Amino acid sequence: MVRHSVAQEGIDGCLPQELANLFSAPSMGFIEERLRLFSRPVLARLGDPAPLPFPRDSDPDVIRSAFADEFPDLGEPLEQVLDHLGRHALPYCSNKRARRYFAQMDVPPADLSVFSGLLIRAMAQDPIAYSSSRSGTFIEKQVSQWLSELIFPGVAAAGGVMTSGGTQSNFQALLLLRNLAFKALGIDVSRLGLQEALRASGKRDIAFLVSPVAHQSIFTALRFLGLGDRSASVVAVDEDEQIAASDLREKLASARDTGVLVAGVVLTACTTGCGAVDPLEEAIEAADEFGVPVHVDAAHGGMLLFSRRHGQRLTGIEKATTVTFDPHKILGLNQSLGFLALRDTSLLNAMGKVELQYYCREREPDLGDWTIDNSRSLNSLGAWILMRSIGRRGYEGIVDHVMALSETFRERIRDHARFRILCDAPMNVVAFGLVGPLEEKNDRTQALLNGVLAGGEFAISRYCRRSGEVLLRAVFVNPASTIEDVHALADRLIDVAETLNGRSGNSTADAIPTANVA
């Protein structure tokens, strides 16, 4: 019988065997028995044929009380630990593998990703340093090559670096563009510091041109870089929340004429709010005219590049200087794995990292100078396994499928007089709301959301616009979702909307209004 407790007091010059067994198994049977205990909840999670997207009756006070006990002095039996998890944690987890989970951009993890995670942790490789990983370094480099070729086809100098996700990718991109802007003037900002570098440049200020609806990680990065909120020169957007190229040109010209150092233009390929894609080709052309590099946040929208049908929506992205792409947004991976792609990999030499004094370089190149991290797990192995197993054409089928789900939903909502769609562009994120005056419809939008979520069958989310308008948002990312699931969601929305309208007595003040607008 395998013992699963490490509850032993006292260490007399020798580690208790129960503790040593955690790091050096006494037998294969010991490991198999412990793995069996973990496999039960994993199989139950993955094998649920009809999971609900959100748990019911998830009172935060009840959950909190289950995790309020003190750190135990003695270890507990593993069976007891996992039983506590099974009773107090797993029942309250949202399930992104549910076919009718349409709430967020997070792709449900493929079973291969879940099993890859076990292998990643068992291998315990750090791909950043060849001396710590050997083959892991080359696995990560191959995934980087595959992804950079997808974004910058035929560009020999293209490459990139893995990150923890879109937030880190965006931060690293803006850090590089800031450093490169000063380097072009012969100034090493990493050595001098920002204040002295700006003084030496002779420029009045430094700025990035950004959309007001860019991901918050862009604005956070500017704060972390010491540039502050004032460095975000906001470019006007149109009614679909896409950057207006004409205003971008005007702001580039104004910055040049007033002595502002523009370190970069930031564009978005699929905003988190409504799926807007900036006019990449036109905007990059404008930036090129002023010699300003462009970063494209395509953390989610980059998935279109797998599709021959939909990839043309991102025409121009191959001319960007840097691109954020999240493998965990489309490849079927568990978080977290991001990717920063560069049209010229040598630009990563501007990172400005301080070299590790204790580290002796091997003959083989490593990734230490190119990444913000100094060590990390080989999460890229999950991408490598999935990309080899599914293939480019397989991912094309997945992208075309989720886009077809989105198109079907748009058609249903567009055809109903009580709804309007924000940004009717081809992406798998659909933001929609009720027609009518803002002061009347936000409460009704919340009531509509509550009505849809009440049955527990569907999960959608909200998008709060800068204007104060509240919209609903459906995101189609699950390859297992079907056209029937989409029609069921649309039916539910329409039924709830009609019910709410009926309750109002159809008065002009309370009714959900109708209009012949998209």
Side-chain angles (χ1 to χ4, degrees):
M1 174 65 68
V2 177
R3 296 182 63 192
H4 299 289
S5 173
V6 293
Q8 180 167 335
E9 296 185 74
I11 298 179
D12 301 324
C14 182
L15 191 69
Q17 191 60 45
E18 288 88 346
L19 290 177
N21 288 345
L22 295 175
F23 305 94
S24 180
S27 67
M28 181 60 71
F30 180 89
I31 289 294
E32 289 176 347
E33 176 66 10
R34 293 169 75 86
L35 181 59
R36 181 183 62 81
L37 293 175
F38 278 95
S39 68
R40 288 174 182 170
V42 171
L43 294 175
R45 180 77 169 180
L46 297 181
D48 188 343
L52 291 176
F54 284 149
R56 296 183 179 180
D57 303 322
S58 52
D59 185 337
D61 291 332
V62 172
I63 302 173
R64 184 184 300 110
S65 65
F67 297 94
D69 47 334
E70 296 182 354
F71 183 18
D73 287 333
L74 301 178
E76 302 170 352
L78 181 57
E79 294 95 330
Q80 181 177 329
V81 174
L82 294 178
D83 177 70
H84 188 92
L85 194 70
R87 288 186 294 114
H88 300 294
L90 299 184
Y92 302 113
C93 294
S94 61
N95 198 327
K96 297 172 184 176
R97 285 170 63 90
R99 284 171 32 194
R100 296 183 176 182
Y101 181 95
F102 303 123
Q104 304 296 339
M105 290 181 169
D106 301 325
V107 177
D111 54 7
L112 292 182
S113 175
V114 176
F115 305 144
S116 297
L118 181 63
L119 185 58
I120 289 167
R121 279 146 188 81
M123 291 170 61
Q125 298 297 290
D126 174 6
I128 290 179
Y130 172 76
S131 61
S132 299
S133 177
R134 302 295 196 273
S135 59
T137 300
F138 291 102
I139 289 173
E140 181 147 310
K141 286 186 174 184
Q142 185 171 44
V143 175
S144 296
Q145 179 184 352
W146 289 343
L147 293 176
S148 62
E149 288 174 349
L150 184 72
I151 299 167
F152 300 110
V155 181
V161 62
M162 294 296 170
T163 68
S164 63
T167 293
Q168 184 176 331
S169 295
N170 285 336
F171 174 79
Q172 186 168 352
L174 268 58
L175 170 65
L176 283 169
L177 294 185
R178 184 202 68 175
N179 292 355
L180 290 166
F182 283 109
K183 184 178 180 181
L185 301 175
I187 299 169
D188 185 350
V189 63
S190 298
R191 183 177 61 84
L192 292 179
L194 184 59
Q195 184 175 6
E196 184 60 32
L198 192 59
R199 184 182 298 112
S201 72
K203 297 292 185 178
R204 181 174 62 84
D205 210 343
I206 182 171
F208 282 85
L209 271 58
V210 301
S211 163
V213 294
H215 192 268
Q216 57 86 20
S217 62
I218 297 295
F219 300 96
T220 300
L222 296 178
R223 290 184 172 189
F224 288 175
L225 290 172
L227 302 178
D229 296 341
R230 62 192 299 272
S231 67
S233 179
V234 175
V235 181
V237 294
D238 59 22
E239 293 182 355
D240 285 337
E241 299 195 346
Q242 300 166 327
I243 271 183
S246 58
D247 189 59
L248 175 62
R249 278 193 168 87
E250 290 180 9
K251 284 187 167 53
L252 285 166
S254 175
R256 177 197 58 194
D257 296 342
T258 57
V260 174
L261 176 62
V262 179
V265 170
V266 180
L267 305 176
T268 306
C270 187
T271 59
T272 53
C274 67
V277 177
D278 287 329
L280 303 181
E281 195 165 27
E282 187 178 3
I284 293 174
E285 179 182 335
D288 285 345
E289 292 175 9
F290 290 86
V292 175
V294 172
H295 171 64
V296 178
D297 179 3
H300 187 77
M303 71 176 190
L304 297 184
L305 295 173
F306 285 109
S307 171
R308 284 168 289 187
R309 176 185 175 190
H310 298 287
Q312 60 185 354
R313 184 70 180 86
L314 300 188
T315 296
I317 196 171
E318 72 282 355
K319 299 176 183 177
T321 302
T322 55
V323 175
T324 286
F325 182 100
D326 272 3
H328 66 225
K329 283 289 196 298
I330 188 55
L331 298 187
L333 283 170
N334 290 75
Q335 295 168 318
S336 55
L337 184 67
F339 181 64
L340 176 61
L342 298 95
R343 189 150 43 97
D344 183 354
T345 314
S346 67
L347 298 181
L348 284 166
N349 294 325
M351 273 287 293
K353 284 185 71 172
V354 176
E355 189 170 332
L356 296 175
Q357 294 183 355
Y358 64 83
Y359 176 65
C360 299
R361 292 184 180 275
E362 295 284 341
R363 175 176 57 85
E364 294 292 342
D366 59 45
L367 308 173
D369 293 337
W370 288 3
T371 176
I372 291 176
D373 306 299
N374 281 331
S375 61
R376 64 163 177 264
S377 298
L378 184 59
N379 289 336
S380 53
L381 176 60
W384 185 85
I385 290 173
L386 280 165
M387 293 178 79
R388 286 189 66 109
S389 299
I390 295 175
R392 180 162 181 165
R393 296 284 78 86
Y395 279 116
E396 179 178 43
I398 290 174
V399 170
D400 288 349
H401 175 66
V402 298
M403 292 297 290
L405 298 178
S406 172
E407 291 167 2
T408 299
F409 182 74
R410 286 176 190 275
E411 290 175 3
R412 289 293 309 278
I413 295 300
R414 188 188 299 113
D415 290 343
H416 197 278
R418 301 200 189 283
F419 297 105
R420 73 178 185 88
I421 294 175
L422 175 64
C423 188
D424 204 12
M427 270 309 306
N428 65 326
V429 180
V430 185
F432 60 100
L434 300 169
V435 299
L438 177 63
E439 61 273 11
E440 295 179 3
K441 64 185 176 182
N442 278 1
D443 288 344
R444 290 191 166 276
T445 298
Q446 183 62 52
L448 178 61
L449 176 63
N450 294 341
V452 172
L453 299 181
E457 184 181 2
F458 301 98
I460 58 176
S461 55
R462 298 187 307 168
Y463 169 42
C464 300
R465 303 186 70 190
R466 296 170 68 247
S467 64
E469 180 184 17
V470 177
L471 300 176
L472 299 185
R473 187 181 68 151
V475 186
F476 301 93
V477 292
N478 192 337
S481 299
T482 66
I483 294 294
E484 289 73 21
D485 294 320
V486 173
H487 283 302
L489 172 61
D491 289 341
R492 179 66 176 165
L493 282 162
I494 293 170
D495 288 345
V496 174
E498 295 293 353
T499 299
L500 291 174
N501 197 64
R503 286 176 185 171
S504 71
N506 293 321
S507 68
T508 56
D510 297 328
I512 296 177
T514 60
N516 295 317
V517 295

